Amino acid sequence: NKSLDNVRMAYRIRCKMVKTIKENFKNSYNYLTCDRCEAGSIESQSHAVMCPGWEDQRQGLELTNIEDMVVFFNRILKERGRRRASA
């Protein structure tokens, strides 16, 4: 699906500009550690792809192709948007 939103997300992934990923916008966060797992790792795009806290968002996706990466990061943004709305 080559919608404009998906193309924009693919660009953000390649440029390491995905919103809500802490390492991408270091000045916006007090700490950069991942809040989805207990490993104490810095939350980066590469960490999100393998983080056990995002396992449910990765189900059914092959993260070696960009289309599935777009779906994965859109799921992350949607999940974080729901958490912020309920807080």
Side-chain angles (χ1 to χ4, degrees):
N1 185 4
K2 301 254 185 199
S3 73
L4 184 57
D5 289 335
N6 288 346
V7 171
R8 286 179 177 159
M9 178 56 81
Y11 178 78
R12 286 185 195 112
I13 291 167
R14 288 185 184 116
C15 295
K16 298 189 187 293
M17 295 173 49
V18 176
K19 297 175 185 175
T20 75
I21 299 295
K22 293 177 182 178
E23 187 178 53
N24 294 349
F25 298 96
K26 294 175 184 171
N27 293 331
S28 299
Y29 298 95
N30 293 329
Y31 62 96
L32 300 178
T33 55
C34 179
D35 55 359
R36 294 289 293 204
C37 69
E38 298 173 9
S41 300
I42 292 188
E43 183 181 290
S44 63
Q45 287 180 203
S46 59
H47 172 74
V49 168
M50 61 179 210
C51 178
W54 292 114
E55 181 69 33
D56 55 333
Q57 304 299 332
R58 286 192 299 269
Q59 287 185 340
L61 299 176
E62 178 60 46
L63 296 181
T64 58
N65 68 50
I66 192 65
E67 290 86 8
D68 283 354
M69 290 285 275
V70 168
V71 171
F72 172 66
F73 281 105
N74 278 329
R75 287 178 182 177
I76 287 177
L77 292 176
K78 188 175 181 180
E79 174 72 24
R80 288 197 167 158
R82 278 193 295 245
R83 284 196 290 159
R84 285 188 180 143
S86 65

